[in-house]
Amino acid sequence: MTHRKLKVGLFGIGLATYWPQFEGLEERLSSYVGQMAEKLARPDIDVVNLGLIDTPEKALDAGHRFREADVDIIFLHVTTYALSSTVLPAVRRARVPVVILNLQPEAAIDYRSFNALGDRTKMTGEWLAYCSACPVPEIANVFRRSGVAFHQITGMLHGDAIVDREIADWIDAARVAHVMAHNRLGVMGRYYNGMLDIYSDLTAHTAAFGTHIEIVEIDELARLRRETTQDELEASLEAIKDAFDIDPECDIGELRRAARTAVALRKFVDNKDLGSLAYYYESTPGHEYEDVITSVIVGCSILTANGVPVAGEYEVKNVQAMKILDSFGAGGSFTEYYAMDFLEDVVLMGHDGPGHIKVAQGKTKIKPLKVYHGKVGSGVSVEMSVKHGPVTLLSVIERDGRIVLLCAEGQSVSGPVLEIGNTNSRYRFDIGARRFVEDWNAQGPAHHCAVGVGHIATKINKLGKLLDLEVVQVC
């Protein structure tokens, strides 16, 4: 994938009238903005810091500079009282979400020292260095009336874990929005016949996420597979042996078949510059394409673990959910209900086909299957459980022409699973298995969803706000 850095805009606000009145105030507030720039800095983003804006003229120029810089999100650092006319021009032209940083330098003014200053001018200057909260209602009022999307972080510039976490979450959400907008999703084959819930509106996905959808052909994958060299095949086979725990019952011929297809899949996504792939195909018995499609599971699992999520059954919505979770660093494995365990109050969830091997509990197994249930052919498949600990489930829903994000936080827990050569895990939810299933179903998702490690619902909520998408969290 072509890589473009996330661009984060930053500016502080003040009032030029104050500077000749209060010695040192401008420099002090400017230093706050510099400190915020350091907080925002990340190796994979560019911070466009325009410093302290204190007049409408400077604000207008800032608006042009942010637009020229093509920023993805703007952090507005409110350092003291400032006129809303020094704010709106700076963000209006960029037309990107704005996070208002309402941050005091410390938790509270030292009232004793402050009142002992004895000079009311000095006292007023000191107060102005703390009055970041003062203009925020004015700014919010003008933003609402002007149609500017904004969000708030309130707290202290330093030593505030809540502020630091919120800033990190907004940057992570902006990064994922940026990834989705620049992603190329390949769709190959056709839908699984009769699964009405997974039929997708590709235009709605492009409109919501910015994702480019490339319709690709199995013919090219088959050609690349035919052209695989012996050296490439052997290297692929060794890589598979290193990455997986291979069941002794696996036929070496089937492993070599999977290894050859894995080589072709890697070339395929590289040639098409794909960041994700949804596929389904059946072909006819004995055809080359049947041979290809029945040997993709291992290669697709490797792609999924390396930043190119792959969803079977042509599940466009779910590969979008997988890409979101993976871009948050949470993984993102294809899953659905398998069964319920009312004795242990857990839901068993998994799926046949590719799994996200980097979020597996232990090493992912490769097992032979005499039949791919509900699909054509036979061969090798992967079996894994998601790492024990906190997890987040995510479903991308199409509802009334709009995209909705549905999420839930739970726990992947130890215990017996179905050892049938599929991904399979046990999940516990704080609202209980019965209520989770009913609340989740009530939102009308497709029967597939994605699961990732960690609790990241707060980040998903922020992503929804940045993309203007409804987010529903059931637990």
Side-chain angles (χ1 to χ4, degrees), residues 356-402:
H356 199 308
I357 62 178
K358 282 190 177 176
V359 297
Q361 178 71 25
K363 211 169 186 179
T364 299
K365 298 177 174 63
I366 294 180
K367 289 189 172 182
L369 294 182
K370 293 180 179 179
V371 62
Y372 292 139
H373 68 274
K375 299 178 176 67
V376 299
S378 60
V380 293
S381 186
V382 299
E383 181 179 285
M384 56 160 272
S385 292
V386 171
K387 287 178 184 175
H388 299 156
V391 294
T392 301
L393 274 60
L394 176 64
S395 179
V396 172
I397 305 174
E398 293 176 22
R399 181 187 296 164
D400 302 324
R402 292 272 295 168

mmCIF file of all heavy atoms in Angstrom, residues 356-402:
data_model
loop_
_atom_site.group_PDB
_atom_site.id
_atom_site.type_symbol
_atom_site.label_atom_id
_atom_site.label_comp_id
_atom_site.label_asym_id
_atom_site.label_seq_id
_atom_site.Cartn_x
_atom_site.Cartn_y
_atom_site.Cartn_z
ATOM 1 N N HIS A 356 -6.690 -14.790 12.295
ATOM 2 C CA HIS A 356 -5.620 -13.816 12.552
ATOM 3 C C HIS A 356 -4.621 -14.451 13.515
ATOM 4 O O HIS A 356 -4.786 -14.405 14.729
ATOM 5 C CB HIS A 356 -6.188 -12.528 13.122
ATOM 6 C CG HIS A 356 -5.268 -11.352 13.006
ATOM 7 N ND1 HIS A 356 -3.963 -11.368 13.436
ATOM 8 C CD2 HIS A 356 -5.471 -10.116 12.468
ATOM 9 C CE1 HIS A 356 -3.406 -10.202 13.204
ATOM 10 N NE2 HIS A 356 -4.300 -9.430 12.603
ATOM 11 N N ILE A 357 -3.564 -15.051 12.962
ATOM 12 C CA ILE A 357 -2.676 -15.880 13.777
ATOM 13 C C ILE A 357 -1.852 -15.075 14.773
ATOM 14 O O ILE A 357 -1.315 -15.640 15.724
ATOM 15 C CB ILE A 357 -1.765 -16.750 12.888
ATOM 16 C CG1 ILE A 357 -0.867 -15.890 12.005
ATOM 17 C CG2 ILE A 357 -2.614 -17.687 12.034
ATOM 18 C CD1 ILE A 357 0.095 -16.687 11.138
ATOM 19 N N LYS A 358 -1.761 -13.741 14.600
ATOM 20 C CA LYS A 358 -0.993 -12.942 15.553
ATOM 21 C C LYS A 358 -1.756 -12.678 16.841
ATOM 22 O O LYS A 358 -1.176 -12.193 17.810
ATOM 23 C CB LYS A 358 -0.557 -11.623 14.916
ATOM 24 C CG LYS A 358 0.638 -11.778 13.979
ATOM 25 C CD LYS A 358 1.202 -10.438 13.561
ATOM 26 C CE LYS A 358 2.446 -10.634 12.694
ATOM 27 N NZ LYS A 358 2.967 -9.328 12.181
ATOM 28 N N VAL A 359 -3.051 -12.966 16.869
ATOM 29 C CA VAL A 359 -3.813 -12.790 18.114
ATOM 30 C C VAL A 359 -4.255 -14.142 18.665
ATOM 31 O O VAL A 359 -5.202 -14.223 19.443
ATOM 32 C CB VAL A 359 -5.020 -11.848 17.918
ATOM 33 C CG1 VAL A 359 -4.554 -10.460 17.523
ATOM 34 C CG2 VAL A 359 -6.002 -12.397 16.891
ATOM 35 N N ALA A 360 -3.551 -15.187 18.288
ATOM 36 C CA ALA A 360 -3.911 -16.531 18.746
ATOM 37 C C ALA A 360 -3.345 -16.811 20.134
ATOM 38 O O ALA A 360 -2.308 -16.275 20.525
ATOM 39 C CB ALA A 360 -3.389 -17.578 17.756
ATOM 40 N N GLN A 361 -4.057 -17.650 20.869
ATOM 41 C CA GLN A 361 -3.569 -18.167 22.143
ATOM 42 C C GLN A 361 -2.625 -19.326 21.813
ATOM 43 O O GLN A 361 -3.070 -20.432 21.510
ATOM 44 C CB GLN A 361 -4.738 -18.651 23.011
ATOM 45 C CG GLN A 361 -4.338 -19.247 24.355
ATOM 46 C CD GLN A 361 -3.841 -18.189 25.326
ATOM 47 O OE1 GLN A 361 -4.185 -17.010 25.218
ATOM 48 N NE2 GLN A 361 -3.022 -18.597 26.272
ATOM 49 N N GLY A 362 -1.328 -19.060 21.842
ATOM 50 C CA GLY A 362 -0.368 -20.078 21.439
ATOM 51 C C GLY A 362 -0.245 -20.123 19.924
ATOM 52 O O GLY A 362 -0.703 -19.232 19.210
ATOM 53 N N LYS A 363 0.364 -21.174 19.443
ATOM 54 C CA LYS A 363 0.627 -21.301 18.021
ATOM 55 C C LYS A 363 -0.603 -21.855 17.300
ATOM 56 O O LYS A 363 -1.224 -22.808 17.758
ATOM 57 C CB LYS A 363 1.828 -22.241 17.804
ATOM 58 C CG LYS A 363 2.660 -21.939 16.576
ATOM 59 C CD LYS A 363 3.963 -22.735 16.598
ATOM 60 C CE LYS A 363 4.870 -22.336 15.451
ATOM 61 N NZ LYS A 363 6.153 -23.075 15.459
ATOM 62 N N THR A 364 -0.932 -21.247 16.179
ATOM 63 C CA THR A 364 -2.074 -21.716 15.388
ATOM 64 C C THR A 364 -1.761 -23.068 14.760
ATOM 65 O O THR A 364 -0.662 -23.285 14.239
ATOM 66 C CB THR A 364 -2.412 -20.691 14.290
ATOM 67 O OG1 THR A 364 -2.756 -19.445 14.914
ATOM 68 C CG2 THR A 364 -3.570 -21.166 13.431
ATOM 69 N N LYS A 365 -2.745 -23.954 14.802
ATOM 70 C CA LYS A 365 -2.579 -25.304 14.258
ATOM 71 C C LYS A 365 -3.050 -25.359 12.807
ATOM 72 O O LYS A 365 -3.976 -24.642 12.409
ATOM 73 C CB LYS A 365 -3.366 -26.304 15.088
ATOM 74 C CG LYS A 365 -2.938 -26.427 16.552
ATOM 75 C CD LYS A 365 -3.847 -27.390 17.299
ATOM 76 C CE LYS A 365 -3.364 -27.638 18.727
ATOM 77 N NZ LYS A 365 -3.389 -26.395 19.535
ATOM 78 N N ILE A 366 -2.406 -26.187 12.030
ATOM 79 C CA ILE A 366 -2.917 -26.550 10.712
ATOM 80 C C ILE A 366 -3.387 -27.992 10.790
ATOM 81 O O ILE A 366 -2.635 -28.879 11.212
ATOM 82 C CB ILE A 366 -1.843 -26.407 9.612
ATOM 83 C CG1 ILE A 366 -1.457 -24.939 9.424
ATOM 84 C CG2 ILE A 366 -2.351 -26.988 8.290
ATOM 85 C CD1 ILE A 366 -0.405 -24.713 8.357
ATOM 86 N N LYS A 367 -4.647 -28.219 10.396
ATOM 87 C CA LYS A 367 -5.227 -29.553 10.468
ATOM 88 C C LYS A 367 -5.842 -29.934 9.116
ATOM 89 O O LYS A 367 -6.318 -29.063 8.376
ATOM 90 C CB LYS A 367 -6.294 -29.625 11.565
ATOM 91 C CG LYS A 367 -5.722 -29.572 12.978
ATOM 92 C CD LYS A 367 -6.793 -29.858 14.020
ATOM 93 C CE LYS A 367 -6.195 -29.995 15.412
ATOM 94 N NZ LYS A 367 -7.214 -30.324 16.437
ATOM 95 N N PRO A 368 -5.846 -31.231 8.812
ATOM 96 C CA PRO A 368 -6.474 -31.672 7.565
ATOM 97 C C PRO A 368 -7.980 -31.794 7.738
ATOM 98 O O PRO A 368 -8.473 -32.204 8.791
ATOM 99 C CB PRO A 368 -5.844 -33.044 7.339
ATOM 100 C CG PRO A 368 -5.544 -33.550 8.727
ATOM 101 C CD PRO A 368 -5.218 -32.344 9.561
ATOM 102 N N LEU A 369 -8.713 -31.422 6.703
ATOM 103 C CA LEU A 369 -10.167 -31.575 6.707
ATOM 104 C C LEU A 369 -10.588 -32.346 5.460
ATOM 105 O O LEU A 369 -10.196 -32.007 4.340
ATOM 106 C CB LEU A 369 -10.861 -30.209 6.714
ATOM 107 C CG LEU A 369 -10.688 -29.328 7.961
ATOM 108 C CD1 LEU A 369 -11.469 -28.042 7.809
ATOM 109 C CD2 LEU A 369 -11.106 -30.062 9.230
ATOM 110 N N LYS A 370 -11.407 -33.370 5.688
ATOM 111 C CA LYS A 370 -11.904 -34.148 4.555
ATOM 112 C C LYS A 370 -13.002 -33.417 3.804
ATOM 113 O O LYS A 370 -13.306 -33.748 2.655
ATOM 114 C CB LYS A 370 -12.421 -35.503 5.055
ATOM 115 C CG LYS A 370 -11.328 -36.400 5.607
ATOM 116 C CD LYS A 370 -11.902 -37.727 6.084
ATOM 117 C CE LYS A 370 -10.806 -38.636 6.623
ATOM 118 N NZ LYS A 370 -11.347 -39.932 7.118
ATOM 119 N N VAL A 371 -13.596 -32.427 4.473
ATOM 120 C CA VAL A 371 -14.629 -31.634 3.830
ATOM 121 C C VAL A 371 -14.607 -30.234 4.439
ATOM 122 O O VAL A 371 -14.401 -30.074 5.644
ATOM 123 C CB VAL A 371 -16.023 -32.283 4.007
ATOM 124 C CG1 VAL A 371 -16.419 -32.375 5.477
ATOM 125 C CG2 VAL A 371 -17.091 -31.513 3.236
ATOM 126 N N TYR A 372 -14.750 -29.213 3.607
ATOM 127 C CA TYR A 372 -14.961 -27.852 4.076
ATOM 128 C C TYR A 372 -16.468 -27.664 4.195
ATOM 129 O O TYR A 372 -17.167 -27.554 3.180
ATOM 130 C CB TYR A 372 -14.394 -26.833 3.083
ATOM 131 C CG TYR A 372 -12.885 -26.827 2.962
ATOM 132 C CD1 TYR A 372 -12.281 -26.690 1.719
ATOM 133 C CD2 TYR A 372 -12.070 -26.931 4.080
ATOM 134 C CE1 TYR A 372 -10.898 -26.647 1.594
ATOM 135 C CE2 TYR A 372 -10.682 -26.900 3.964
ATOM 136 C CZ TYR A 372 -10.103 -26.756 2.722
ATOM 137 O OH TYR A 372 -8.736 -26.716 2.604
ATOM 138 N N HIS A 373 -16.991 -27.669 5.430
ATOM 139 C CA HIS A 373 -18.436 -27.711 5.592
ATOM 140 C C HIS A 373 -19.117 -26.527 4.906
ATOM 141 O O HIS A 373 -18.730 -25.381 5.066
ATOM 142 C CB HIS A 373 -18.814 -27.775 7.087
ATOM 143 C CG HIS A 373 -18.519 -26.540 7.869
ATOM 144 N ND1 HIS A 373 -17.311 -26.273 8.450
ATOM 145 C CD2 HIS A 373 -19.323 -25.488 8.166
ATOM 146 C CE1 HIS A 373 -17.351 -25.112 9.079
ATOM 147 N NE2 HIS A 373 -18.567 -24.620 8.925
ATOM 148 N N GLY A 374 -20.111 -26.851 4.096
ATOM 149 C CA GLY A 374 -20.861 -25.838 3.376
ATOM 150 C C GLY A 374 -20.164 -25.279 2.159
ATOM 151 O O GLY A 374 -20.697 -24.384 1.493
ATOM 152 N N LYS A 375 -18.957 -25.779 1.868
ATOM 153 C CA LYS A 375 -18.185 -25.266 0.753
ATOM 154 C C LYS A 375 -17.649 -26.439 -0.062
ATOM 155 O O LYS A 375 -17.844 -27.597 0.287
ATOM 156 C CB LYS A 375 -17.052 -24.381 1.268
ATOM 157 C CG LYS A 375 -17.549 -23.164 2.065
ATOM 158 C CD LYS A 375 -16.416 -22.342 2.588
ATOM 159 C CE LYS A 375 -16.935 -21.087 3.285
ATOM 160 N NZ LYS A 375 -17.661 -21.373 4.516
ATOM 161 N N VAL A 376 -16.929 -26.131 -1.127
ATOM 162 C CA VAL A 376 -16.418 -27.194 -1.993
ATOM 163 C C VAL A 376 -15.067 -27.687 -1.511
ATOM 164 O O VAL A 376 -14.311 -26.973 -0.858
ATOM 165 C CB VAL A 376 -16.290 -26.707 -3.456
ATOM 166 C CG1 VAL A 376 -17.640 -26.294 -3.998
ATOM 167 C CG2 VAL A 376 -15.296 -25.559 -3.561
ATOM 168 N N GLY A 377 -14.761 -28.937 -1.834
ATOM 169 C CA GLY A 377 -13.416 -29.467 -1.695
ATOM 170 C C GLY A 377 -13.005 -29.818 -0.281
ATOM 171 O O GLY A 377 -13.792 -29.856 0.668
ATOM 172 N N SER A 378 -11.697 -30.078 -0.168
ATOM 173 C CA SER A 378 -11.082 -30.458 1.102
ATOM 174 C C SER A 378 -9.640 -29.986 1.068
ATOM 175 O O SER A 378 -9.154 -29.479 0.060
ATOM 176 C CB SER A 378 -11.145 -31.981 1.279
ATOM 177 O OG SER A 378 -10.442 -32.624 0.215
ATOM 178 N N GLY A 379 -8.949 -30.152 2.184
ATOM 179 C CA GLY A 379 -7.553 -29.728 2.258
ATOM 180 C C GLY A 379 -7.163 -29.433 3.679
ATOM 181 O O GLY A 379 -7.654 -30.067 4.620
ATOM 182 N N VAL A 380 -6.276 -28.445 3.867
ATOM 183 C CA VAL A 380 -5.845 -28.087 5.215
ATOM 184 C C VAL A 380 -6.539 -26.804 5.657
ATOM 185 O O VAL A 380 -6.908 -25.963 4.840
ATOM 186 C CB VAL A 380 -4.313 -27.929 5.300
ATOM 187 C CG1 VAL A 380 -3.627 -29.263 5.082
ATOM 188 C CG2 VAL A 380 -3.789 -26.881 4.326
ATOM 189 N N SER A 381 -6.703 -26.678 6.986
ATOM 190 C CA SER A 381 -7.348 -25.507 7.558
ATOM 191 C C SER A 381 -6.612 -25.105 8.825
ATOM 192 O O SER A 381 -5.708 -25.808 9.281
ATOM 193 C CB SER A 381 -8.820 -25.814 7.862
ATOM 194 O OG SER A 381 -9.494 -24.651 8.293
ATOM 195 N N VAL A 382 -6.991 -23.964 9.395
ATOM 196 C CA VAL A 382 -6.319 -23.477 10.602
ATOM 197 C C VAL A 382 -7.263 -23.566 11.799
ATOM 198 O O VAL A 382 -8.469 -23.363 11.669
ATOM 199 C CB VAL A 382 -5.800 -22.034 10.435
ATOM 200 C CG1 VAL A 382 -4.788 -21.966 9.301
ATOM 201 C CG2 VAL A 382 -6.926 -21.046 10.221
ATOM 202 N N GLU A 383 -6.673 -23.857 12.951
ATOM 203 C CA GLU A 383 -7.429 -23.947 14.201
ATOM 204 C C GLU A 383 -6.721 -23.114 15.256
ATOM 205 O O GLU A 383 -5.527 -23.298 15.512
ATOM 206 C CB GLU A 383 -7.513 -25.410 14.657
ATOM 207 C CG GLU A 383 -8.311 -25.612 15.942
ATOM 208 C CD GLU A 383 -8.371 -27.079 16.339
ATOM 209 O OE1 GLU A 383 -9.116 -27.833 15.695
ATOM 210 O OE2 GLU A 383 -7.628 -27.473 17.267
ATOM 211 N N MET A 384 -7.445 -22.190 15.866
ATOM 212 C CA MET A 384 -6.859 -21.306 16.890
ATOM 213 C C MET A 384 -7.958 -20.744 17.772
ATOM 214 O O MET A 384 -9.136 -20.730 17.399
ATOM 215 C CB MET A 384 -6.101 -20.148 16.245
ATOM 216 C CG MET A 384 -6.953 -19.310 15.282
ATOM 217 S SD MET A 384 -6.336 -17.648 14.923
ATOM 218 C CE MET A 384 -7.071 -16.699 16.261
ATOM 219 N N SER A 385 -7.558 -20.304 18.952
ATOM 220 C CA SER A 385 -8.409 -19.508 19.825
ATOM 221 C C SER A 385 -7.757 -18.149 19.997
ATOM 222 O O SER A 385 -6.532 -18.026 19.968
ATOM 223 C CB SER A 385 -8.573 -20.174 21.193
ATOM 224 O OG SER A 385 -9.320 -21.365 21.090
ATOM 225 N N VAL A 386 -8.588 -17.125 20.177
ATOM 226 C CA VAL A 386 -8.068 -15.782 20.420
ATOM 227 C C VAL A 386 -7.453 -15.723 21.821
ATOM 228 O O VAL A 386 -7.949 -16.365 22.754
ATOM 229 C CB VAL A 386 -9.187 -14.742 20.255
ATOM 230 C CG1 VAL A 386 -8.752 -13.360 20.719
ATOM 231 C CG2 VAL A 386 -9.647 -14.697 18.793
ATOM 232 N N LYS A 387 -6.374 -14.964 21.950
ATOM 233 C CA LYS A 387 -5.669 -14.831 23.226
ATOM 234 C C LYS A 387 -6.642 -14.591 24.376
ATOM 235 O O LYS A 387 -7.565 -13.785 24.272
ATOM 236 C CB LYS A 387 -4.685 -13.668 23.168
ATOM 237 C CG LYS A 387 -3.449 -13.911 22.337
ATOM 238 C CD LYS A 387 -2.570 -12.666 22.305
ATOM 239 C CE LYS A 387 -1.362 -12.880 21.389
ATOM 240 N NZ LYS A 387 -0.564 -11.642 21.250
ATOM 241 N N HIS A 388 -6.398 -15.282 25.481
ATOM 242 C CA HIS A 388 -7.234 -15.096 26.660
ATOM 243 C C HIS A 388 -7.003 -13.711 27.249
ATOM 244 O O HIS A 388 -5.874 -13.257 27.374
ATOM 245 C CB HIS A 388 -6.918 -16.182 27.694
ATOM 246 C CG HIS A 388 -7.181 -17.565 27.187
ATOM 247 N ND1 HIS A 388 -6.567 -18.684 27.699
ATOM 248 C CD2 HIS A 388 -8.004 -18.014 26.197
ATOM 249 C CE1 HIS A 388 -6.991 -19.755 27.049
ATOM 250 N NE2 HIS A 388 -7.864 -19.371 26.140
ATOM 251 N N GLY A 389 -8.091 -13.064 27.603
ATOM 252 C CA GLY A 389 -8.018 -11.706 28.129
ATOM 253 C C GLY A 389 -9.060 -10.833 27.470
ATOM 254 O O GLY A 389 -9.988 -11.318 26.805
ATOM 255 N N PRO A 390 -8.948 -9.519 27.632
ATOM 256 C CA PRO A 390 -9.967 -8.611 27.093
ATOM 257 C C PRO A 390 -10.007 -8.637 25.572
ATOM 258 O O PRO A 390 -8.976 -8.723 24.900
ATOM 259 C CB PRO A 390 -9.525 -7.234 27.609
ATOM 260 C CG PRO A 390 -8.072 -7.381 27.937
ATOM 261 C CD PRO A 390 -7.883 -8.799 28.371
ATOM 262 N N VAL A 391 -11.224 -8.562 25.039
ATOM 263 C CA VAL A 391 -11.430 -8.542 23.585
ATOM 264 C C VAL A 391 -12.516 -7.530 23.246
ATOM 265 O O VAL A 391 -13.325 -7.147 24.098
ATOM 266 C CB VAL A 391 -11.843 -9.926 23.030
ATOM 267 C CG1 VAL A 391 -10.725 -10.936 23.195
ATOM 268 C CG2 VAL A 391 -13.139 -10.419 23.671
ATOM 269 N N THR A 392 -12.514 -7.106 21.997
ATOM 270 C CA THR A 392 -13.567 -6.237 21.470
ATOM 271 C C THR A 392 -14.110 -6.851 20.194
ATOM 272 O O THR A 392 -13.340 -7.244 19.312
ATOM 273 C CB THR A 392 -13.029 -4.824 21.177
ATOM 274 O OG1 THR A 392 -12.510 -4.251 22.383
ATOM 275 C CG2 THR A 392 -14.142 -3.928 20.642
ATOM 276 N N LEU A 393 -15.433 -6.951 20.113
ATOM 277 C CA LEU A 393 -16.104 -7.414 18.903
ATOM 278 C C LEU A 393 -16.586 -6.202 18.121
ATOM 279 O O LEU A 393 -17.070 -5.223 18.710
ATOM 280 C CB LEU A 393 -17.293 -8.313 19.240
ATOM 281 C CG LEU A 393 -17.018 -9.807 19.467
ATOM 282 C CD1 LEU A 393 -16.057 -10.022 20.623
ATOM 283 C CD2 LEU A 393 -18.323 -10.551 19.715
ATOM 284 N N LEU A 394 -16.483 -6.273 16.799
ATOM 285 C CA LEU A 394 -16.910 -5.164 15.951
ATOM 286 C C LEU A 394 -17.653 -5.694 14.738
ATOM 287 O O LEU A 394 -17.201 -6.630 14.081
ATOM 288 C CB LEU A 394 -15.704 -4.333 15.489
ATOM 289 C CG LEU A 394 -15.996 -3.195 14.506
ATOM 290 C CD1 LEU A 394 -16.888 -2.129 15.140
ATOM 291 C CD2 LEU A 394 -14.689 -2.561 14.021
ATOM 292 N N SER A 395 -18.791 -5.088 14.463
ATOM 293 C CA SER A 395 -19.559 -5.399 13.263
ATOM 294 C C SER A 395 -19.839 -4.105 12.515
ATOM 295 O O SER A 395 -20.174 -3.084 13.122
ATOM 296 C CB SER A 395 -20.883 -6.081 13.625
ATOM 297 O OG SER A 395 -21.642 -6.365 12.469
ATOM 298 N N VAL A 396 -19.673 -4.144 11.210
ATOM 299 C CA VAL A 396 -20.054 -3.017 10.355
ATOM 300 C C VAL A 396 -21.428 -3.340 9.775
ATOM 301 O O VAL A 396 -21.608 -4.358 9.106
ATOM 302 C CB VAL A 396 -19.022 -2.790 9.239
ATOM 303 C CG1 VAL A 396 -19.532 -1.745 8.249
ATOM 304 C CG2 VAL A 396 -17.687 -2.340 9.835
ATOM 305 N N ILE A 397 -22.394 -2.489 10.052
ATOM 306 C CA ILE A 397 -23.784 -2.717 9.659
ATOM 307 C C ILE A 397 -24.179 -1.717 8.577
ATOM 308 O O ILE A 397 -23.760 -0.558 8.604
ATOM 309 C CB ILE A 397 -24.727 -2.542 10.870
ATOM 310 C CG1 ILE A 397 -24.310 -3.446 12.036
ATOM 311 C CG2 ILE A 397 -26.178 -2.814 10.486
ATOM 312 C CD1 ILE A 397 -25.117 -3.193 13.305
ATOM 313 N N GLU A 398 -24.985 -2.164 7.622
ATOM 314 C CA GLU A 398 -25.627 -1.265 6.676
ATOM 315 C C GLU A 398 -27.087 -1.122 7.085
ATOM 316 O O GLU A 398 -27.822 -2.108 7.156
ATOM 317 C CB GLU A 398 -25.515 -1.807 5.260
ATOM 318 C CG GLU A 398 -24.089 -1.836 4.732
ATOM 319 C CD GLU A 398 -23.986 -2.466 3.362
ATOM 320 O OE1 GLU A 398 -25.018 -2.497 2.648
ATOM 321 O OE2 GLU A 398 -22.895 -2.938 3.000
ATOM 322 N N ARG A 399 -27.478 0.109 7.375
ATOM 323 C CA ARG A 399 -28.845 0.345 7.870
ATOM 324 C C ARG A 399 -29.405 1.607 7.224
ATOM 325 O O ARG A 399 -28.854 2.702 7.408
ATOM 326 C CB ARG A 399 -28.823 0.490 9.402
ATOM 327 C CG ARG A 399 -30.179 0.723 10.043
ATOM 328 C CD ARG A 399 -30.033 1.014 11.507
ATOM 329 N NE ARG A 399 -29.487 -0.116 12.254
ATOM 330 C CZ ARG A 399 -28.984 -0.018 13.482
ATOM 331 N NH1 ARG A 399 -28.924 1.158 14.076
ATOM 332 N NH2 ARG A 399 -28.520 -1.079 14.095
ATOM 333 N N ASP A 400 -30.470 1.445 6.445
ATOM 334 C CA ASP A 400 -31.133 2.591 5.807
ATOM 335 C C ASP A 400 -30.154 3.426 4.990
ATOM 336 O O ASP A 400 -30.193 4.666 5.020
ATOM 337 C CB ASP A 400 -31.821 3.469 6.865
ATOM 338 C CG ASP A 400 -32.843 2.699 7.680
ATOM 339 O OD1 ASP A 400 -33.515 1.820 7.096
ATOM 340 O OD2 ASP A 400 -32.966 2.955 8.889
ATOM 341 N N GLY A 401 -29.245 2.746 4.285
ATOM 342 C CA GLY A 401 -28.293 3.437 3.435
ATOM 343 C C GLY A 401 -27.104 4.021 4.166
ATOM 344 O O GLY A 401 -26.254 4.676 3.558
ATOM 345 N N ARG A 402 -27.031 3.810 5.469
ATOM 346 C CA ARG A 402 -25.933 4.356 6.281
ATOM 347 C C ARG A 402 -25.120 3.219 6.878
ATOM 348 O O ARG A 402 -25.622 2.122 7.120
ATOM 349 C CB ARG A 402 -26.489 5.227 7.416
ATOM 350 C CG ARG A 402 -27.155 6.510 6.973
ATOM 351 C CD ARG A 402 -26.155 7.632 6.862
ATOM 352 N NE ARG A 402 -25.597 7.973 8.183
ATOM 353 C CZ ARG A 402 -24.537 8.768 8.362
ATOM 354 N NH1 ARG A 402 -23.930 9.268 7.323
ATOM 355 N NH2 ARG A 402 -24.103 9.042 9.567
#
